[in-house]
Amino acid sequence: MSVTASPAAVRSIYSSRSARDRAPRPRVVMTVRSSSTTLSAVPILTKLQRDCATPLPVLRHVADAMAADMRAGLEADGGSDLKMILSYVDALPTGNEKGLFYALDLGGTNFRVLRVQLGGKDERVVATEFEQVCIPHELMFGTSEELFDFIASGLANFAQKEGGKFNLPQGRTRELGFTFSFPVKQTSIDSGILIKWTKGFAVSGTAGKDVVVCLNEAMKRQELNMRVSALVNDTVGTLAGARYWDDDVMVAVILGTGTNACYVERVDAIPKLHSPNSTSGRTIVNTEWGAFSSGLPLTEFDREMDAESINPGEQIFEKTISGMYLGEIVRRVLIRMAEDARLFGDSVPEKLQMSFSLRTPDICAMQQDCSRDFEIVGSILYNVAGVNSNSSARKIVIDVCDAIAKRGGRLAGAGIVGILQKMEEDSKGTVFGNRTVVAMDGGLYEHYPQYRRYLQDAVTELLGPEISKNIVIEHSKDGSGIGAALLAATNSMYGH
Ligand code: ADP
Ligand code: MG
């Protein structure tokens, strides 16, 4: 895994930023202060590094507690922080899948549609096409029918453009894998009740209903001959997509705005599953590990952020390791340094006081700065926070970013080891003694090289050099879309 960022990579991270950052930048007039001003921020930094530290015993505790919480969640619903949700995915893709399948991914402000022509073991993916559609803001506050009609009409529009290498046998209904990244109580592979909308959606009339029925009805209204064959969580889609290419994939982890993980479990290791009827003897379990909370090295900044969040006391692991929060934690530390140690001069920059104004891509871009005077850090601080800084202040800012990214990456690594450890305890040698692949996806993992390296380091430290040779942590980019289409194929009403 490469971790050195080339100047070109730095430029591309920086140049892909929002309009806010592309605005012409006035020449930065450096506030020249003696470095003794920034020196007074050092004790705050040292305390932060101490409070955030993740030495081996802390990692080991997190891995052990993750494994124990998994067991408790498999015993009984409500038995643990981890919900350990059954996905009803018992049959994983084998490579033999054939035919035309669709996927729909609804998880944020966009929805993505995809079609794939599968050609079986030899030909694999014959053709694939996808489109992304932005959901108009007002539909996020409208009625369920309006939202699902909009999605179904986007799908119908996309299906109309089918041609070329895509081929559906006469008389067959098109089948769809539906990735739906909101909390759902799944009741079978092709049904699930929406518990509540999250991520800014406030659509009336969907909560308590089967989202598959909502979509199937809307498709009927659009006279689109298509049916949902599989309803899947995005981690489950990622696992299925990666498994299609590699039989050793056993775990999938998303590290993006939020975080989650799923893995392949033996049905006889799930006490809360009273009537297991899986033909394979295995099923995918969605851990919902964002809710994990045991033994995490938290700071006063984490506690304040949590207390002011819309879900205080919940999703503590997610708030410590995922992309939505890393920038915000750094911002809170910088505010403290500005207030108590005058890091940026006599006043606390007003823009920096706005919650979530410093984002994780900002702290990532700052960490890539290898220039002598940390000019990229200076530009970002100026653009994001209206801050003029000298190079010693910028160096401290980088150290703060590093402390928070290091803790996040290392704890994510410990969580992964916890899952592997639980699987190993039940299957004696088959996980640690063989090649085992963890499929990773999400913008944070993809774009933050230091975070990735810290994650890998923690896994290696915990497992030791020999076992860690067998554990392959691999980026599976956008595997969840094709994974959902593959699960539609696996669960096709026509067989395959
Ligand atoms: P989502 O999790 O919303 O489905 P993604 O997997 O694309 O979407 O992840 C987006 C998240 O990834 C962002 O919210 C951000 O926290 C993180 N991210 C995106 N770009 C970068 C970057 N350059 N550096 C670090 N983190 C990034
Ligand atoms: Mg996603």
Side-chain angles (χ1 to χ4, degrees):
M1 195 183 303
S2 164
V3 292
T4 37
S6 64
V10 172
R11 265 198 309 279
S12 77
I13 287 169
Y14 193 58
S15 59
S16 66
R17 299 297 323 284
S18 66
R20 177 185 69 187
D21 300 329
R22 288 196 300 269
R25 190 163 64 86
R27 272 188 54 218
V28 176
V29 182
M30 210 76 81
T31 319
V32 183
R33 295 187 305 274
S34 74
S35 56
S36 65
T37 316
T38 44
L39 267 185
S40 54
V42 171
I44 303 175
L45 173 64
T46 310
K47 180 171 185 322
L48 175 79
Q49 288 166 329
R50 201 173 53 232
D51 292 349
C52 276
T54 47
L56 196 53
V58 168
L59 295 181
R60 190 147 321 221
H61 171 88
V62 167
D64 290 347
M66 183 69 75
D69 279 6
M70 288 170 70
R71 278 186 201 287
L74 292 171
E75 279 290 332
D77 281 334
S80 145
D81 279 347
L82 304 198
K83 287 205 177 72
M84 305 301 282
I85 296 170
L86 305 177
S87 67
Y88 294 87
V89 173
D90 303 335
L92 281 159
T94 58
N96 293 320
E97 295 77 7
K98 275 191 176 169
L100 170 61
F101 295 92
Y102 278 77
L104 164 69
D105 183 335
L106 179 66
T109 46
N110 294 307
F111 72 87
R112 282 159 55 99
V113 285
L114 168 148
R115 76 179 130 245
V116 58
Q117 185 76 39
L118 300 168
K121 236 345 143 312
D122 298 328
E123 293 180 74
R124 294 280 168 151
V125 174
V126 177
T128 177
E129 277 175 358
F130 80 91
E131 264 175 25
Q132 181 159 302
V133 184
C134 180
I135 299 173
H137 196 65
E138 63 273 16
L139 286 185
M140 293 167 69
F141 303 93
T143 67
S144 193
E145 281 78 16
E146 284 164 352
L147 177 66
F148 280 98
D149 279 345
F150 180 78
I151 293 166
S153 98
L155 248 179
N157 197 10
F158 179 64
Q160 252 175 21
K161 292 181 235 160
E162 182 185 294
K165 292 181 175 157
F166 299 96
N167 160 33
L168 186 79
Q170 275 261 303
R172 281 203 175 187
T173 299
R174 288 179 183 80
E175 292 183 291
L176 174 80
F178 183 15
T179 306
F180 187 75
S181 310
F182 297 94
V184 159
K185 167 92 182 127
Q186 193 122 11
T187 41
S188 72
I189 182 66
D190 59 1
S191 61
I193 309 292
L194 177 70
I195 298 167
K196 60 174 178 187
W197 287 106
T198 55
K199 303 186 234 182
F201 279 70
V203 176
S204 61
T206 326
K209 286 208 182 130
D210 184 341
V211 292
V212 173
V213 172
C214 294
L215 182 58
N216 278 334
E217 284 175 350
M219 292 195 294
K220 214 178 266 169
R221 287 195 290 274
Q222 294 292 327
E223 295 176 0
L224 172 60
N225 186 21
M226 194 183 283
R227 69 174 281 277
V228 176
S229 304
L231 174 67
V232 297
N233 173 274
D234 55 351
T235 49
V236 175
T238 300
L239 198 155
R243 177 77 171 225
Y244 181 64
W245 300 107
D246 188 339
D247 284 341
D248 294 336
V249 174
M250 299 298 276
V251 181
V253 176
I254 305 275
L255 285 161
T257 306
T259 183
N260 194 9
C262 71
Y263 71 108
V264 180
E265 182 58 285
R266 291 172 11 192
V267 291
D268 60 8
I270 311 178
K272 72 179 176 185
L273 181 62
H274 295 301
S275 47
N277 60 358
S278 154
T279 46
S280 67
R282 290 172 167 223
T283 190
I284 299 181
V285 174
N286 163 15
T287 64
E288 291 289 334
W289 83 354
F292 176 78
S293 65
S294 174
L296 299 173
L298 300 179
T299 67
E300 57 193 301
F301 306 103
D302 300 296
R303 293 199 183 87
E304 285 165 14
M305 179 180 73
D306 176 49
E308 290 169 28
S309 71
I310 52 166
N311 53 351
E314 291 175 18
Q315 299 294 100
I316 304 297
F317 196 46
E318 181 161 89
K319 285 172 181 162
T320 319
I321 71 168
S322 84
M324 178 160 173
Y325 302 100
L326 300 185
E328 172 63 7
I329 302 167
V330 170
R331 185 192 70 83
R332 285 170 179 272
V333 179
L334 297 187
I335 288 279
R336 173 67 54 83
M337 290 177 160
E339 282 172 355
D340 293 4
R342 299 173 56 240
L343 185 68
F344 306 121
D346 290 336
S347 58
V348 180
E350 204 175 304
K351 272 166 94 182
L352 190 63
Q353 299 191 41
M354 208 169 75
S355 293
F356 291 93
S357 55
L358 191 67
R359 302 174 318 146
T360 301
D362 299 322
I363 68 165
C364 173
M366 291 198 282
Q367 266 203 274
Q368 313 313 313
D369 189 351
C370 315
S371 65
R372 203 164 58 92
D373 288 329
F374 308 113
E375 281 155 24
I376 295 174
V377 178
S379 304
I380 293 174
L381 288 174
Y382 185 85
N383 288 320
V384 171
V387 165
N388 286 326
S389 53
N390 61 21
S391 71
S392 60
R394 294 172 192 169
K395 175 72 177 72
I396 288 186
V397 172
I398 294 179
D399 288 344
V400 172
C401 297
D402 189 61
I404 300 304
K406 183 174 187 177
R407 179 184 65 168
R410 286 174 65 83
L411 291 175
I416 291 171
V417 171
I419 294 180
L420 295 168
Q421 202 170 295
K422 150 75 176 80
M423 297 167 81
E424 172 72 11
E425 282 162 12
D426 289 358
S427 63
K428 309 203 180 35
T430 56
V431 176
F432 289 165
N434 294 314
R435 180 176 178 270
T436 298
V437 178
V438 180
M440 309 290 301
D441 201 8
L444 177 64
Y445 185 79
E446 183 177 356
H447 298 296
Y448 206 150
Q450 285 85 356
Y451 185 99
R452 261 201 326 260
R453 192 189 66 209
Y454 286 132
L455 185 155
Q456 179 66 62
D457 285 352
V459 171
T460 311
E461 271 176 50
L462 277 165
L463 296 178
E466 282 312 306
I467 292 176
S468 54
K469 275 188 211 145
N470 284 336
I471 305 300
V472 182
I473 298 182
E474 219 163 59
H475 183 205
S476 153
K477 189 167 165 49
D478 296 332
S480 93
I482 204 153
L486 286 161
L487 291 172
T490 310
N491 294 288
S492 166
M493 62 179 171
Y494 302 109
H496 65 265

